[in-house]
Amino acid sequence: KNQVEQSPQSLIILEGKNCTLQCNYTVSPFSNLRWYKQDTGRGPVSLTIMTFSENTKSNGRYTATLDADTKQSSLHITASQLSDSASYICVVRRTNAGKSTFGDGTTLTVKP
Amino acid sequence: GAGVSQSPSNKVTEKGKDVELRCDPISGHTALYWYRQSLGQGLEFLIYFQGNSAPDKSGLPSDRFSAERTGGSVSTLTIQRTQQEDSAVYLCASSLVYQDYNEQFFGPGTRLTVL
């Protein structure tokens, strides 16, 4: 069982709609959690980083939340655009420069 | 350069052949990582370098896989006697140093196809 579980596996929404992607993790001890966006044929790009004490962080139309008690994070995308079509990957890192653990990603398709 | 570059972008090879994949990290980044991404799967950690040394090789799937880094910059991932299950996208990333909060910047990847 992966220590970082993402849901849903894939999602299709209409342009302009909002959506929320979920990430549950069991990685411990926790250092930080990043959300990456990976466009088709490209490498992942970091959207936001969440540390233990942070609950919410926004980056434009992207808002990430973190509940370190329940070990859950979400990525909310507002007013989706066609360019938001991509894979969104949740990555959790252990403390003391431990290895990063990657989720399998959620594939988002935004349709006109 | 402006970002992490990888070459070749695509590589098709026959089963049993050796391949070399190259990664040029962002200038000044001391940490370098190799990952493998199979179709529809998440990223799988292979190895990381801090400078020229590789403290963690635990992700290398077999002794057919090896990597080196010279001059604290360019890295080469070598796969010997390739197998069909080696087909995947191989991603390289670099970060300023190997620390908890440093962002990893990824290259575009090398798509390897073993026939």
Side-chain angles (χ1 to χ4, degrees):
Chain A
K1 182 173 169 66
N2 197 345
Q3 294 185 67
V4 178
E5 296 280 347
Q6 292 188 243
S7 62
Q9 185 175 17
S10 61
L11 182 63
I12 301 174
I13 61 173
L14 293 176
E15 187 178 12
K17 298 295 186 183
N18 304 335
C19 67
T20 300
L21 314 180
Q22 300 289 343
C23 175
N24 296 342
Y25 63 93
T26 58
V27 173
S28 181
F30 174 85
S31 172
N32 62 79
L33 182 150
R34 281 188 187 272
W35 283 94
Y36 282 87
K37 179 187 179 188
Q38 185 176 21
D39 292 315
T40 302
R42 309 287 291 273
V45 174
S46 178
L47 294 174
T48 184
I49 179 173
M50 305 290 290
T51 59
F52 188 86
S53 59
E54 295 175 308
N55 298 120
T56 303
K57 185 176 285 186
S58 291
N59 177 4
R61 295 180 296 102
Y62 300 102
T63 299
T65 66
L66 175 67
D67 185 332
D69 292 330
T70 62
K71 299 186 177 180
Q72 297 179 326
S73 176
S74 67
L75 181 69
H76 185 75
I77 304 175
T78 305
S80 60
Q81 301 177 357
L82 298 180
S83 59
D84 292 333
S85 295
S87 178
Y88 291 84
I89 304 170
C90 174
V91 185
V92 182
R93 193 152 190 183
R94 289 186 179 86
T95 56
N96 301 319
K99 208 177 302 183
S100 294
T101 302
F102 289 73
D104 287 342
T106 292
T107 300
L108 174 65
T109 303
V110 180
K111 293 195 169 183
Chain B
V4 178
S5 61
Q6 294 186 243
S7 61
S9 55
N10 280 285
K11 176 71 176 178
V12 180
T13 189
E14 294 179 348
K15 178 181 173 181
K17 301 285 189 183
D18 298 350
V19 295
E20 283 190 355
L21 312 180
R22 177 188 169 105
C23 173
D24 278 275
I26 293 173
S27 178
H29 280 194
T30 62
L32 185 148
Y33 314 77
W34 282 99
Y35 297 92
R36 179 168 70 175
Q37 188 173 32
S38 301
L39 188 64
Q41 301 295 313
L43 274 73
E44 174 190 5
F45 168 82
L46 297 178
I47 185 172
Y48 94 89
F49 290 89
Q50 180 60 45
N52 291 336
S53 64
D56 189 347
K57 305 179 183 179
S58 62
L60 295 177
S62 75
D63 58 8
R64 296 187 295 105
F65 288 72
S66 63
E68 65 174 15
R69 189 179 186 195
T70 55
S73 182
V74 172
S75 176
T76 303
L77 177 69
T78 301
I79 309 173
Q80 295 179 311
R81 305 180 303 282
T82 51
Q83 304 294 313
Q84 289 183 330
E85 60 263 29
D86 299 334
S87 296
V89 175
Y90 289 82
L91 288 162
C92 172
S94 70
S95 64
L96 203 56
V97 292
Y98 188 70
Q99 285 184 347
D100 289 354
Y101 299 98
N102 282 140
E103 179 180 352
Q104 294 182 32
F105 294 84
F106 285 83
T110 292
R111 180 175 297 278
L112 174 66
T113 303
V114 182
L115 301 177

